[in-house]
């Protein structure tokens, strides 16, 4: 089992043409990566996902991954919590932070690199899964998206959603978060259903992901309002 959490970061400023000096080039992405099935744990390109790992097979997976050139792990969602029935599309994250605890756990952070499509999958000796993958459809993931979104509509729906859920937020920090980081972080941390998370992952670009995120927030808010009306 794994415990995970994600936070906001990043100022509203013009982004560089590449995500960072440690990210692989498209030509360097491997044909095979270990994959980690975890329901509702969404990773997106440019996002950061902290993981607390203690199950033996995934400890072995991280150990093996650290010996590979780009330290990539593929996060993938199971359909309806069935570990052997996986969605075809996931997102690979590079181990960008690593620590060991005294009780044998590994504390790592995955930095989202690029999405992938599973072509084939097999279980290795230590019990985790290795997948043969294709990156062809997701080359653009390696370049930050600088096209504008309907930020005002997103913030309006987010405020309403948080109010209904009783969530607190640092709105000044959210206002200072650049568009891609805001959409990525909200998509990752909001408690949406697995199919909704997967739909956000499979959006072709930032603009479509922002539109879908707004729609999901609107639907969730309407559902909460209807439920509160019935209760009263």
């Amino acid at each position: 089992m794994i415990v995970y959490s994600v936070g906001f970061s990043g100022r509203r400023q013009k982004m560089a043409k590449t995500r960072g000096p440690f990210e692989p080039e498209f030509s360097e992405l491997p044909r095979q990566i270990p994959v980690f099935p975890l329901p509702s744990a969404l990773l997106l390109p440019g996002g950061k996902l902290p993981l607390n790992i203690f199950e033996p097979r995934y400890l072995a997976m991280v150990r093996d991954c650290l010996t590979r050139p780009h330290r990539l792990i593929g996060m993938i969602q199971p359909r309806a919590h069935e570990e052997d029935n996986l969605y075809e599309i996931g997102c690979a994250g590079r181990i960008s932070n690593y620590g060991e605890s005294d009780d044998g756990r590994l504390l790592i952070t995955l930095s989202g690199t690029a999405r992938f499509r599973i072509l084939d999958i097999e279980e290795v000796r230590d019990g985790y899964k290795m997948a043969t993958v294709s990156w062809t459809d997701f080359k653009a993931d390696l370049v930050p998206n600088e096209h504008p979104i309907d930020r005002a509509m997103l913030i309006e729906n987010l405020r309403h959603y948080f109010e209904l859920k009783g969530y607190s937020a640092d709105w000044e920090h959210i206002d200072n978060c650049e568009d891609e980081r805001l959409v990525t972080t909200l998509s990752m941390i909001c408690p949406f259903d697995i199919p909704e998370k997967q739909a956000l992952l499979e959006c072709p670009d930032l603009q479509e992901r922002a539109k879908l995120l707004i729609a999901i927030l609107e639907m969730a808010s309407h559902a909460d309002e209807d439920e509160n009306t019935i209760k009263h």
Side-chain angles (χ1 to χ4, degrees), residues 161-174:
Y161 176 78
F162 276 18
E163 286 172 3
L164 288 171
K165 293 290 187 182
Y167 298 159
S168 60
D170 183 343
W171 291 105
E172 181 179 358
H173 195 65
I174 289 174

Side-chain angles (χ1 to χ4, degrees), residues 35-56:
V35 290
F36 193 172
L38 193 59
S40 298
L42 180 65
L43 178 63
L44 291 171
K48 291 188 180 296
L49 182 65
L51 295 169
N52 177 7
I53 300 177
F54 52 87
E55 193 172 340

Side-chain angles (χ1 to χ4, degrees), residues 106-125:
L106 293 178
L107 309 175
I108 68 172
T109 299
L110 295 183
S111 293
T113 297
R115 291 171 291 172
F116 60 86
R117 186 182 303 275
I118 290 180
L119 302 179
D120 192 21
I121 193 165
E122 62 181 353
E123 187 173 299
V124 300
R125 181 185 58 190

Side-chain angles (χ1 to χ4, degrees), residues 46 65 75-76 88 97-98 111-112 114 126 142 144 147 153 157 161-162 164 176 184 205 208 215 228:
C65 184
M75 296 301 299
I76 191 85
E88 292 181 356
N97 195 22
Y98 167 88
S111 293
D126 288 315
L142 295 172
H147 296 292
M153 181 64 72
N157 280 276
Y161 176 78
F162 276 18
L164 288 171
N176 287 328
T184 295
D205 53 38
E208 292 302 315
N228 290 335

Side-chain angles (χ1 to χ4, degrees), residues 127-201:
Y128 65 87
K129 299 180 186 296
M130 286 288 293
T132 301
V133 301
S134 170
W135 311 92
T136 304
D137 296 333
F138 308 110
K139 188 173 183 178
D141 287 352
L142 295 172
V143 181
N145 191 317
E146 299 178 355
H147 296 292
I149 63 170
D150 190 344
R151 188 182 181 94
M153 181 64 72
L154 175 58
I155 295 298
E156 178 184 341
N157 280 276
L158 183 65
R159 284 184 180 275
H160 189 45
Y161 176 78
F162 276 18
E163 286 172 3
L164 288 171
K165 293 290 187 182
Y167 298 159
S168 60
D170 183 343
W171 291 105
E172 181 179 358
H173 195 65
I174 289 174
D175 287 341
N176 287 328
C177 187
E178 51 87 14
D179 288 351
E180 186 178 26
R181 180 56 54 85
L182 178 62
V183 172
T184 295
T185 304
L186 289 174
S187 298
M188 289 173 61
I189 69 173
C190 286
F192 302 141
D193 293 336
I194 291 176
E196 293 172 328
K197 293 267 191 180
Q198 189 66 25
L200 287 164
L201 172 69

